[in-house]
Amino acid sequence: TAPPPDRFNFARHLIEVNAGRAAKTALIDDAGQLSYGQLADQVRRCSAALTALGLLREDRVLLLMHDCSDWVVSFLGALHAGVVPVCVNTLLTAKDYAYMLADSRAQAALVSTALLPTLQTAMSDGKHELKQLIVSRSQAPLPEGAHDWAALVSAATPGTGADTHGDEPAFWLYSSGSTGAPKGTVHTQVNLYWTAELYGKGVLRLQDSDVVFSAAKLFFAYGLGNALSFPLSVGASVVLMAERPTPQACFKRMTEHRPTVFCGAPTGYGGMLAAPDLPPRSAVSLRLCSSAGEALPRDIGERWTAHFGCEIIDGIGSTEMLHIFLSNRPGDVRYGTTGKAVPGYEVQLRDEDGSVITSHNQIGDLYIQGPSAALMYWNNRAKSRDTFQGPWTKSGDKYVRDPDGYYTYAGRNDDMLKVSGIYVSPFEVEATLVQHNAVLEAAVIGKNDDEGLTKTKAFVVLKPGHHATEAELQAFVKEKLAPYKYPRFIEFVSELPKTATGKIQRFKLRELENQ
Ligand code: 3SK
């Protein structure tokens, strides 16, 4: 892939790439459609409007919106002007937004009407520098001094945009770890280009004939690639959905808009497969699906493919690398593994001493090298140094490579268990438990026995109307894995604690266990 020129602006790049597609549908949201011509026009107007409001190059603007075309136009409009959108999760609390406003020193906020009250609470709670409030799809009278997004954008004269450097800070995403405050992850203009080239085109082979629908929202790095930078880099159409990605909401878009590519997370795939109204293959037009967020259990991949006749391409990415760097490939899917390094990225497994592991079947810490790594975490030198180590980025995940070169997830660094001196991946035990017909979900943590030795404990959610005993599930795991890995304790629960992105919060289970 040819590197982009030094002076590079991703929004201007997309406008250029799609100049010959003015009439083609770019975005379909809950309210209507936008063609590529209309998208380019709105991006250039939005860019000019932000500049006219007094926003300068590198000023940060908070982008707190539900998925819709205004999100895409706001993001690209800011990039076009050289203003830096700070894209935040719509599911957070006012306290979280107060932290992000103060940390980013955002000068303006672009916000959905429904999220305005929470943002206003954040503004009244914390220190902030907001000077402009722009409200998308407002229905009620606006707060004093606030702007209506549509009126502001349509009144502006389209701008030519900023002649940015490709390595200039372009946008932020907040990355949350299991401990500490969220970290503002600073990405450049070219990072969007590289992920679209290497994953969107290189692995998913997106084409302008594709219609892409992502259950993962735009504020996640995964959703941003799936539903913005990848499809718009090839002139495809995108289906955007504001509501929560329940199975029913996803089925509605899959059957109405007939996306050819669907991007989701394992929990979502599992929920859809368990739903009574799962549409038949003939009611959808899927050619390819992608999965990330957590490793995809083999059973889910196999059942999805059996039902819909298309593969799920499972990969792992990170907010820090912007998108997926290790992945299966269309036509070369090994369910239960995360595949191999995406061409353009290099991965390494390192042992506890930091030495590179060259042997097979040995669990190690995953490091990545590639052109889309973030510059740093804002205001956090210590964590930046720990994660961004020269050309290498530490992922915080443990992996194992088999003799054929396929990588399999072995848990987070902080979730790994050592039982009788041997590493046990809680993920491996969970993935086995969910193969049992009665099990919907499972989470495994370490629990100290009476002697203070670590043993595995599984929290299990059963499928509605199903039954299983502790002994039955233990025998099931023993049959499939090395016997020492079976969970010594099983507790049946009605749900598991999860992050907004659907990742199981094992640390919460550990806290409960150790109370
Ligand atoms: O969770 C992932 O695997 C992921 C994938 C793409 C982009 C970002 C993330 C966190």
Side-chain angles (χ1 to χ4, degrees):
T1 305
D6 280 355
R7 310 298 312 179
F8 181 78
N9 181 293
F10 187 72
R12 286 166 66 166
H13 163 74
L14 288 186
I15 292 172
E16 269 166 43
V17 163
N18 294 302
R21 297 190 177 99
K24 183 166 193 275
T25 301
L27 306 175
I28 304 164
D29 73 9
D30 299 332
Q33 303 198 355
L34 223 54
S35 68
Y36 270 99
Q38 290 169 316
L39 175 62
D41 180 61
Q42 287 205 8
V43 167
R44 293 173 61 216
R45 286 178 196 272
C46 179
S47 159
L50 294 175
T51 304
L53 286 179
L55 292 161
L56 303 174
R57 287 268 291 273
E58 294 181 37
D59 273 351
R60 269 83 61 196
V61 293
L62 193 84
L63 178 48
L64 171 59
M65 278 189 198
H66 292 302
D67 280 18
C68 66
S69 61
D70 294 2
W71 199 110
V72 176
V73 172
S74 300
F75 179 82
L76 292 175
L79 254 62
H80 192 261
V83 169
V84 177
V86 176
C87 312
V88 296
N89 185 334
T90 55
L91 304 166
L92 301 179
T93 63
K95 193 164 159 247
D96 297 315
Y97 298 133
Y99 172 80
M100 291 168 182
L101 285 176
D103 182 56
S104 66
R105 296 184 23 253
Q107 301 294 302
L110 295 137
V111 60
S112 293
T113 306
L115 299 165
L116 181 60
T118 316
L119 181 64
Q120 285 176 308
T121 309
M123 288 163 65
S124 62
D125 277 4
K127 291 193 202 119
H128 68 84
E129 297 183 16
L130 287 183
K131 295 179 183 68
Q132 305 287 355
L133 196 54
I134 304 152
V135 184
S136 158
R137 311 214 169 162
S138 55
Q139 285 140 3
L142 294 175
E144 210 189 316
H147 305 273
D148 174 66
W149 190 95
L152 187 79
V153 170
S154 62
T157 305
T160 49
D163 178 30
T164 49
H165 194 286
D167 293 336
E168 185 168 317
F171 66 101
W172 296 16
L173 300 168
Y174 270 95
S175 163
S176 48
S178 50
T179 55
K183 305 178 287 291
T185 310
V186 182
H187 278 285
T188 66
Q189 297 273 352
V190 295
N191 290 357
L192 290 160
Y193 171 85
W194 280 118
T195 52
E197 291 297 312
L198 299 177
Y199 200 72
K201 295 185 191 176
V203 172
L204 300 180
R205 299 185 198 148
L206 294 181
Q207 311 273 329
D208 64 356
S209 52
D210 277 316
V211 178
V212 181
F213 172 44
S214 172
K217 301 294 180 191
L218 288 162
F219 60 77
F220 295 124
Y222 179 50
L224 183 66
N226 301 338
L228 195 156
S229 57
F230 297 0
L232 300 186
S233 292
V234 299
S237 303
V238 182
V239 178
L240 297 166
M241 171 175 90
E243 69 186 287
R244 230 163 44 83
T246 59
Q248 287 64 39
C250 292
F251 296 157
K252 184 167 184 281
R253 272 69 183 186
M254 283 181 191
T255 52
E256 274 181 25
H257 300 296
R258 296 275 189 150
T260 55
V261 177
F262 173 74
C263 309
T267 309
Y269 284 110
M272 285 191 273
L273 283 168
D277 48 349
L278 180 72
R281 190 187 292 195
S282 58
V284 305
S285 302
L286 297 173
R287 74 162 179 86
L288 191 72
C289 292
S290 97
S291 181
E294 55 185 326
L296 180 75
R298 173 186 306 179
D299 178 58
I300 291 183
E302 285 172 353
R303 284 194 290 133
W304 186 269
T305 300
H307 184 83
F308 285 117
C310 73
E311 293 173 319
I312 302 181
I313 308 303
D314 185 27
I316 180 177
S318 68
T319 305
E320 289 73 9
M321 293 305 295
L322 190 55
H323 214 273
I324 291 173
F325 44 80
L326 186 62
S327 181
N328 284 277
R329 313 281 152 77
D332 180 17
V333 168
R334 279 209 195 174
Y335 285 130
T337 82
T338 318
K340 297 178 177 174
V342 169
Y345 294 88
E346 214 184 308
V347 298
Q348 275 184 357
L349 297 182
R350 299 189 192 169
D351 68 14
E352 279 167 12
D353 302 327
S355 306
V356 177
I357 296 173
T358 50
S359 57
H360 304 302
N361 301 330
Q362 189 185 337
I363 291 176
D365 294 323
L366 183 72
Y367 283 74
I368 314 106
Q369 180 166 179
S372 61
L375 293 173
M376 61 175 161
Y377 297 129
W378 187 257
N379 282 344
N380 201 330
R381 174 67 76 93
K383 287 200 170 154
S384 298
R385 279 191 169 157
D386 186 49
T387 299
F388 304 106
Q389 303 180 3
W392 292 96
T393 301
K394 182 168 104 178
S395 81
D397 297 294
K398 293 217 180 261
Y399 263 85
V400 60
R401 187 178 51 239
D402 71 17
D404 295 334
Y406 291 83
Y407 287 77
T408 299
Y409 185 61
R412 288 288 302 171
N413 288 358
D414 42 8
D415 281 331
M416 287 300 286
L417 307 171
K418 233 176 185 181
V419 182
S420 311
I422 312 172
Y423 268 126
V424 174
S425 158
F427 184 80
E428 191 183 16
V429 182
E430 291 162 13
T432 306
L433 281 165
V434 297
Q435 287 171 26
H436 190 284
N437 189 35
V439 175
L440 182 66
E441 289 183 307
V444 170
I445 59 162
K447 173 188 163 81
N448 284 353
D449 66 9
D450 292 342
E451 290 174 290
L453 297 169
T454 305
K455 298 284 180 267
T456 48
K457 168 161 184 175
F459 291 83
V460 170
V461 182
L462 292 176
K463 288 180 189 159
H466 287 73
H467 179 76
T469 63
E470 184 176 17
E472 191 185 331
L473 293 184
Q474 286 172 330
F476 183 79
V477 176
K478 271 191 198 168
E479 236 174 60
K480 299 201 173 270
L481 294 180
Y484 70 84
K485 294 184 178 175
Y486 87 92
R488 306 305 197 271
F489 310 98
I490 293 185
E491 187 175 329
F492 294 98
V493 290
S494 56
E495 59 176 12
L496 298 174
K498 291 195 183 143
T499 64
T501 56
K503 288 185 185 168
I504 295 168
Q505 294 173 305
R506 292 181 190 78
F507 73 95
K508 287 210 172 147
L509 295 170
R510 280 197 291 269
E511 274 166 18
L512 276 178
E513 200 54 46
N514 297 323
Q515 262 174 13

